[in-house]
Amino acid sequence: MGDRILLVEDDDQLGSQIVGHLRGAGFDPVWWREGRLLVSGDLPDVSLVVLDLMLPGTYGLDMLKALRTFSEVPVLILSARNDTLDKVRALRLGADDYMTKPFWPEELVERVRARLRRPTLQKEQAVVEVGPLRIDLQGHTVQVQGRPVELTRVEFELLAALARRPQEAVTRQWLVEHVLDPEREGTERTLDVHVSRLRRKLGPVKCVETVWGVGYRLVPGEDA
């Protein structure tokens, strides 16, 4: 069997159909029929989660929010709700993709394959290297081309958040909610100030890239 996929879906007919297509595509599906408020240690060893929103037990977005406190496993949302605000909220909470029901199971399989081809940081990785950047997530140290760089707490947490999803756009709102202190500095304008200071400290290597209308992402970068 290939990658192990966790499916969280309470509809028996749809769930059976998805499991069959995933298994037929070479994946190893695990099927939960209700939502669970996860803590570290509860999540099986899986490569990706396919998560319905309207679930018995725990609402899908609450499950996603809890999951993101300890894991960066890719999450693909399934929902009968086609409202843009629902999609935006799911993405801000850390979802990697969003599919609206009804859908073709073949498309779901291809989205799973596409997401698994993209680079992602596994939780156990302590050091991330992106271009000339070397980020020690446990030691809270950063080097650029072998040169140590001193960062504030917020600057490091900002860089670490981007490093956990290299070359993926992370929304400004997500960064505000998960990196900044909401009681003191929780605004997008303040976030932009921290990004500007971080860029100056990283020097001429342009690794923190602006994604206009979305947020920021970490790229290998080039010398200015």
Side-chain angles (χ1 to χ4, degrees):
M1 279 289 181
D3 290 290
R4 200 176 190 199
I5 307 297
L6 173 61
L7 170 66
V8 189
E9 170 61 64
D10 64 317
D11 185 297
D12 286 338
Q13 182 176 357
L14 178 59
S16 296
Q17 189 178 26
I18 293 173
V19 165
H21 277 80
L22 289 173
R23 189 169 286 129
F27 296 110
D28 180 16
V30 177
W31 184 9
W32 290 359
R33 290 171 171 81
E34 65 178 15
R36 307 179 189 181
L37 198 59
L38 298 172
V39 296
S40 182
D42 288 347
L43 183 70
D45 183 15
V46 295
S47 300
L48 183 141
V49 177
V50 179
L51 177 63
D52 187 23
L53 291 187
M54 304 304 294
L55 293 166
T58 300
Y59 182 50
L61 289 184
D62 291 334
M63 185 173 173
L64 172 63
K65 187 174 182 179
L67 175 64
R68 279 292 175 253
T69 63
F70 64 87
S71 175
E72 294 296 328
V73 64
V75 176
L76 190 158
I77 295 292
L78 300 179
S79 177
R81 298 173 64 90
N82 194 30
D83 187 82
T84 299
L85 291 178
D86 289 327
K87 295 179 181 180
V88 169
R89 186 180 177 208
L91 293 170
R92 285 179 175 175
L93 286 175
D96 297 273
D97 202 352
Y98 192 108
M99 290 190 69
T100 304
K101 301 176 182 179
F103 56 85
W104 292 102
E106 293 84 358
E107 181 185 354
L108 171 63
V109 168
E110 291 308 315
R111 290 204 188 198
V112 168
R113 282 176 172 155
R115 185 58 191 83
L116 291 176
R117 285 195 298 266
R118 296 163 67 184
T120 186
L121 174 70
Q122 300 300 317
K123 187 174 185 293
E124 62 269 16
Q125 284 184 284
V127 176
V128 181
E129 294 187 4
V130 180
L133 276 180
R134 187 178 189 275
I135 306 161
D136 185 336
L137 298 175
Q138 294 183 355
H140 282 230
T141 61
V142 175
Q143 293 181 354
V144 177
Q145 297 174 331
R147 172 180 60 86
V149 178
E150 294 294 328
L151 301 179
T152 66
R153 181 199 66 80
V154 172
E155 290 163 356
F156 180 85
E157 292 299 333
L158 170 59
L159 187 60
L162 297 175
R164 291 187 173 97
R165 298 186 181 186
Q167 302 191 57
E168 292 185 31
V170 182
T171 67
R172 296 167 79 217
Q173 184 60 41
W174 191 94
L175 291 169
V176 167
E177 293 175 356
H178 292 81
V179 173
L180 302 186
D181 181 347
E183 295 183 359
R184 297 177 54 196
E185 50 184 11
T187 68
E188 293 186 2
R189 188 184 183 97
T190 304
L191 173 70
D192 295 339
V193 172
H194 285 296
V195 170
S196 178
R197 291 173 179 168
L198 174 61
R199 284 171 168 163
R200 285 199 299 271
K201 290 185 177 182
L202 296 180
V205 178
K206 297 181 178 181
C207 290
V208 180
E209 183 177 83
T210 299
V211 182
W212 296 108
V214 180
Y216 299 98
R217 66 181 163 207
L218 195 65
V219 297
E222 298 178 355
D223 288 343

